Amino acid sequence: MVGLQYLSGDISGGNARCIAMLQAFQDAIRDYTVPSEKTLVRDLTAKISSYVSFLIECRPLSISMGNAIRFLKSQIAKLPLTLSESESKSSLQSDIENFIYEKIILADKAIVEHAVTKIRDGDVLLTYGSSSAVEMILLHAYELGKQFRVVVVDSRPRLRGKLLLRRLVEKGLSCTYTHINAVSYIMQEVTRVFLGASSVLSNGTVYSGVGTACVAMVAHSFHVPVIVCCEAFKFHERVQLDSICSNELGDPDAISKVSGREDVNDLDAWANTENLQLLNLIYDATPSDYVSMIVTDYGMIPPTSVPVVVRKYSREQVWI
Amino acid sequence: MGAPKKSSARVSEDHDELVRVPLQAILIADSFTTKFRPITLERPKVLLPLVNAPMINYTLTWLESAGVEEVFVFCCAHSKQVINYLEKSEWFNQPNFTVTTIESQNSVSAGDALRVIYERNVIHGDFVLVSGDTVSNMSLTQALLEHKERKKKDSNAVMTMVIKRSKTNPAIHQSRLGTDEIFMAIDPDTKQLLYYEDKADYSKGTLHLENSLLADNPSLSLHHDKQDCYIDICSPEVLSLFTDNFDYQHLRRHFVKGLLVDDIMGYKIFVHEICSDYAARIDNFRSYDTVSKDIIHRWTYPLVPDVMNFGNTTTKLERQGIYRASGFGTKIGNNTKILNSVVGEGCKIGSNVHIEGCYIWDNVTIEDGCKLRYGIVCDGVTMKSGSALEPGVVLSFKVVVGKEFVVPTYSQVSLLQQPIEEDSDEELEYADSTSAITSTLDKSDGESDSELSDTHFNPASELGFGGVGYIWPKCEGGHEEEWRHSVAPITEDKILEAVKALEDELELILDGNTLPPSGELKPNSIDSDEDDNDDLRDDFDKEVEETFLRAVHENIQENHLTLEVNSLKLSYNKIAADCAGALFYAMMKYAVDMPHSSAERLTQNVQAVLAKWKKVLTSYLNDMDEQIEVILKFEEMCLESAKEYAPLFAQILHYMYNEDIIEEDAILSWEDEKKEADESDKVFVKQAQTFIQWLKEAPEEDEEE
């Protein structure tokens, strides 16, 4: 079910996908019974792996989801053998509950608290695409009565910025909406750039929705500080230098067709042309040079300090 | 970029037509309302600046770009001013675009205007009817094409109205443009307009539609989210219609509704909905504000200040949506803040002034430290230092606001006294009084100057020390309306008030439990129909039974009986299934009432009756549903009124099958239907089980054979 929602794009955004997956696992564990002559630890791990492979079939996992799965598996492995079936099931369920609450919901709150201090009256804040953390920051700052303006930059084909824009405008924020083509024009008046991230890698590279790198680079060249908001559970020890490897490819039709504009059909029926390849990347990697600061639940850190968080985070996970 | 494409397409279309009629338009440069008072006492509405260009310019530019070749500008109030303006502007010497003015002093409504135009006999083909306060960038090609196609098929399609989707505020029943919510019923397939109501009664929360409206149309969609753009594409018949019906005054209230109600002539009105194009009419101060903002936000592109430069000044769009004109002669002092506002030519604005959401026209002097919020400030106004405008104020021409004076909210200030209302009909009153005032104004400006100096010495001026002008007393009726139509944004407490009123109303309704909650538009007539149905059912059955008995006793022919039942069906508004049911009931009743000693005798009776009147019954049993209805009726009878039939159910059913009264499919689906029913209801299904079983097996055997 959740997998199909990923496939159709009903659930998108790192946090939403992760929470949906964990909740699906919770349901799966609730419905799970240990087959005879098997131990819970081994069998459940195998079961979870099969679920995960189904999810991967629907849409490749994001790094945050990978982290969450790793957490769940380690929890299963650590279950004492003395525990009865129902006890271990309920303990796993509460573990997942805690994970969602601590690592995602509380983390977001902490990020909002930290990041709001960086918004001053008269600021013009730019954001790209739609990030739940950034949205919360903007709304919280608005509730605090800060006077600022928001520029929402968007790009085809997913146009997720429209959703963010709608929610912000409904709340009464003053917004400007533009597409990424105009980012160099609008950047002149921007005082801060807030970006969400799918993951932060240990060399400080920010792995996020395609276009983020472009926005960050333009902001850098205009000397506008770039603040990336990312929960610590999305950090990963991998090092990646470009965005082609381990990226996700989207539907090529999405970039060849323009919804609502049937007259733009130059690429129709080109699917079989051999010397044409439509490339619809989902993510890109922003080098740490263009990121001024990363806001996480542990506080505000420069991108060079990411390994510290990664180390601390993984150690903490072992402790749990 | 789209423009050249469009024009080329249009040219090719024109070539297709054998006789080429130039596209004409009628522009009514008078709104025949008093909504823009006191400003319109001194200047016609179409010449009021909208983002520093007279409104009529927007309309004419659009008409020109949309391919209209001949425009007739109808002037009434302040006609001299309009004609003078047009003469000075470049509109009279455009190639391929002729502007002709038609002047009439004694027209009091749009209806009069169209009658005058009809007398001139200048309109030869389809024409576009707009008023001079319309701002639009829509392409007329599609709408015109649709109109012509329809006209070819049906010569009664005389008008196409342009509508646009616009969400109204549910609390105050008002669109963004400050107009009332409009209810329309449209046929979704043909786009024919069937019902139009702009003054619905919200207090009841219901809308009354004619019964026939629902009866005559297979489908009908009700809209309350559409905005009337007041752009109409009309056939020449429209003009003659106005002449024939000399009491038509208002375009919508009289003409459109008149056509919709009148079914003798059969004229039809259609709608054309635009999605991405812009079209709006400036009807009141709020729409003036909304449309101005839309122009600034470039929704009306290419009708934006930096593209359609009028006059000598050029306007440039700068960062963050600021338009700045060069050679404008407006001076702004230090530390002055201007937000969401339009400032005209030759203004002098002092320092430490705060202006928010205001429309300041030409040659306005605002001294130091003034505060203006959400107001309209006309030409030549002086605001002495320290004075302030509360939201919703309108300052007419040359008013002087005294030092430190605060003009209260929603007040309208003018040099002229408010004309005394002579007539309750606002349209008539407007034309009368304006014509009187034009004459005084036209004499000379000097007179008003002397008037100005007169009042200047009046120490008890209404506008503080050194102020000049009268604050118009608020009229009783207008009090409620002023916040709806003013330039000031609707304050939250007003909305809250409206919401509260709505909720109260809802509670009231729910308590009373008489009416559906407002917002849900249940066409009332449907409800009443259903109620009627229940009442009428017994009557209908009785009538049919009596008719049948009469037929039996008086030996009336079968087809005559069919005729009579048909007429009953029509008069009670029933369907064939009802007739079949009632008729069958009557027959069985008759059979059971006949003397019978045993079950066999009864069966024979039934068979005799059915055989005799089979034809009548089968004429209503074309459909499976009707046959099922008969079985159900029979079942009902067996249970209630004629228990004698109960043991014979299967037998009679079999007989009816043999006689082709009821088909196999009907029996099977009846059984299907009963599967989910209670055990008690299944008695007869069980009884007929062997028969059904046989039915089911029969076709299989056929196949085998």
Side-chain angles (χ1 to χ4, degrees), chain B residues 586-619:
Chain B
M587 286 175 187
M588 298 308 267
K589 194 95 184 280
Y590 172 66
V592 101
D593 288 346
M594 277 204 288
H596 59 270
S597 47
S598 63
E600 287 96 72
R601 181 91 188 104
L602 181 64
T603 323
Q604 274 171 19
N605 278 349
V606 170
Q607 285 175 359
V609 170
L610 281 179
K612 187 158 184 224
W613 301 103
K614 197 180 100 183
K615 244 192 190 159
V616 182
L617 193 56
T618 43
S619 66

Side-chain angles (χ1 to χ4, degrees), chain A residues 219-237:
Chain A
H220 183 75
S221 69
F222 278 91
H223 304 290
V224 178
V226 176
I227 299 166
V228 172
C229 309
C230 184
E231 298 86 348
F233 83 99
K234 292 181 182 171
F235 284 42
H236 198 271
E237 72 261 0

Side-chain angles (χ1 to χ4, degrees), chain B residues 649-666:
Chain B
F649 183 83
Q651 216 176 334
I652 293 173
L653 196 65
H654 194 168
Y655 174 75
M656 286 198 285
Y657 171 73
N658 282 345
E659 288 290 307
D660 286 338
I661 296 174
I662 286 169
E663 283 165 22
E664 178 189 337
D665 290 345

Side-chain angles (χ1 to χ4, degrees), chain B residues 82-209:
Chain B
V82 178
I83 293 167
N84 281 343
Y85 172 78
L86 287 174
E87 272 167 1
K88 271 185 218 154
S89 70
E90 295 156 359
W91 289 115
F92 276 141
N93 34 30
Q94 298 274 338
N96 306 327
F97 187 65
T98 49
V99 177
T100 318
T101 52
I102 294 175
E103 197 181 344
S104 162
Q105 285 299 346
N106 44 18
S107 296
V108 293
S109 70
D112 284 342
L114 291 178
R115 280 185 275 275
V116 169
I117 291 167
Y118 181 69
E119 280 162 21
R120 299 278 173 104
N121 201 14
V122 284
I123 299 292
H124 311 296
D126 290 347
F127 63 96
V128 184
L129 177 62
V130 291
S131 59
D133 44 14
T134 309
V135 177
S136 174
N137 61 358
M138 71 175 276
S139 151
L140 285 173
T141 328
Q142 186 62 28
L144 271 173
L145 219 67
E146 278 177 23
H147 181 75
K148 281 196 179 129
E149 290 284 305
R150 269 199 290 266
K151 193 75 205 287
K152 253 181 228 165
K153 280 186 216 146
D154 181 357
S155 62
N156 280 336
V158 288
M159 186 160 122
T160 304
M161 268 167 59
V162 176
I163 56 169
K164 186 173 165 51
R165 213 193 117 127
S166 146
K167 224 174 176 183
T168 49
N169 188 328
I172 50 174
H173 298 291
Q174 191 179 25
S175 71
R176 251 182 98 228
L177 290 172
T179 48
D180 290 327
E181 208 169 11
I182 295 173
F183 290 101
M184 288 192 218
I186 298 167
D187 187 325
D189 300 323
T190 61
K191 299 279 173 234
Q192 188 186 346
L193 180 74
L194 302 166
Y195 178 80
Y196 183 98
E197 180 61 66
D198 54 354
K199 293 228 179 310
D201 190 0
Y202 307 116
S203 55
K204 285 187 199 154
T206 53
L207 193 68
H208 293 274
L209 295 181

